[in-house]
Amino acid sequence: MLRNALGKTFRFLGYTVQYGCIAHCAFEYLGGIVVCSGPSMEPTIQNSDIVFSENLSRHFYCIRKGDIVIVKSPNDPKSNICKRVIGLEGDKVCTSNPSDFLKSHSYVPKGHVWLEGDNLRNSTDSRYYGPVPYGLIRGRICLKIWPLNDFGFLRASPNGHRFLDD
């Protein structure tokens, strides 16, 4: 009787650990569901929108200009932020605000990306904290899931003029 109960308990624990490892690998390497908050990505992503973030792109260094990424916040490592990639390493980027009369430019250093929110007037991004190390990227958002009337792939940046091709 005791032997049977112990056998069932250990089998249950074994399955729990096994499925826990599978779930961890799926969320770490494949992707997951993310609830976005804050106004920095409006109008592309609204507060409380639910999106799917895939993680394979970051592992294979396939992040491109224009992609929307989930990143560990450079200011608060306990939180994640959602921003658009404006520049990759070696790219020339406009580092000033859109309302500034004199525009300033800089080059993105090796191993970094330049991130900005689509809502430039209400976004704390690389214009504030500088280039972000590539290693802080957690995943690339590829699909909006909720609200259902907005279901589908994300649209292009409303600030496409900020991408420089020098």
Side-chain angles (χ1 to χ4, degrees):
M1 175 84 166
L2 179 62
R3 186 176 196 176
N4 190 23
L6 281 176
K8 286 183 179 181
T9 302
F10 283 122
R11 270 194 303 276
F12 175 75
L13 287 174
Y15 287 131
T16 303
V17 169
Q18 183 179 14
Y19 292 124
C21 290
I22 291 169
H24 168 75
C25 289
F27 289 127
E28 179 67 23
Y29 296 102
L30 297 179
I33 307 297
V34 177
V35 178
C36 297
S37 63
S40 71
M41 285 303 294
E42 291 177 356
T44 309
I45 298 174
Q46 305 289 328
N47 193 32
S48 300
D49 280 359
I50 300 174
V51 296
F52 177 75
S53 170
E54 62 87 9
N55 299 346
L56 290 173
S57 293
R58 76 178 171 111
H59 292 295
F60 293 112
Y61 296 93
C62 296
I63 301 294
R64 298 182 315 238
K65 279 196 255 185
D67 287 346
I68 299 174
V69 293
I70 302 291
V71 181
K72 283 279 183 202
S73 172
N75 294 337
D76 179 14
K78 293 180 182 176
S79 66
N80 291 322
I81 58 174
C82 175
K83 304 291 180 199
R84 190 178 297 272
V85 177
I86 301 298
L88 301 169
E89 63 180 43
D91 286 346
K92 182 180 177 182
V93 292
C94 181
T95 57
S96 56
N97 287 313
S99 58
D100 292 348
F101 180 70
L102 294 174
K103 303 294 181 203
S104 58
H105 296 89
S106 182
Y107 287 94
V108 180
K110 185 175 177 69
H112 290 71
V113 293
W114 189 268
L115 304 175
E116 291 182 3
D118 285 354
N119 185 354
L120 292 173
R121 298 197 188 286
N122 198 2
S123 177
T124 302
D125 49 37
S126 287
R127 294 171 295 150
Y128 173 74
Y129 43 69
V132 176
Y134 194 91
L136 292 183
I137 296 175
R138 306 300 304 146
R140 180 180 65 90
I141 295 177
C142 56
L143 189 68
K144 188 185 286 191
I145 298 171
W146 189 264
L148 283 178
N149 62 334
D150 248 353
F151 180 87
F153 296 105
L154 297 170
R155 59 178 161 250
S157 172
N159 305 312
H161 62 280
R162 302 239 339 139
F163 294 83
L164 299 176
D165 291 323
D166 291 354

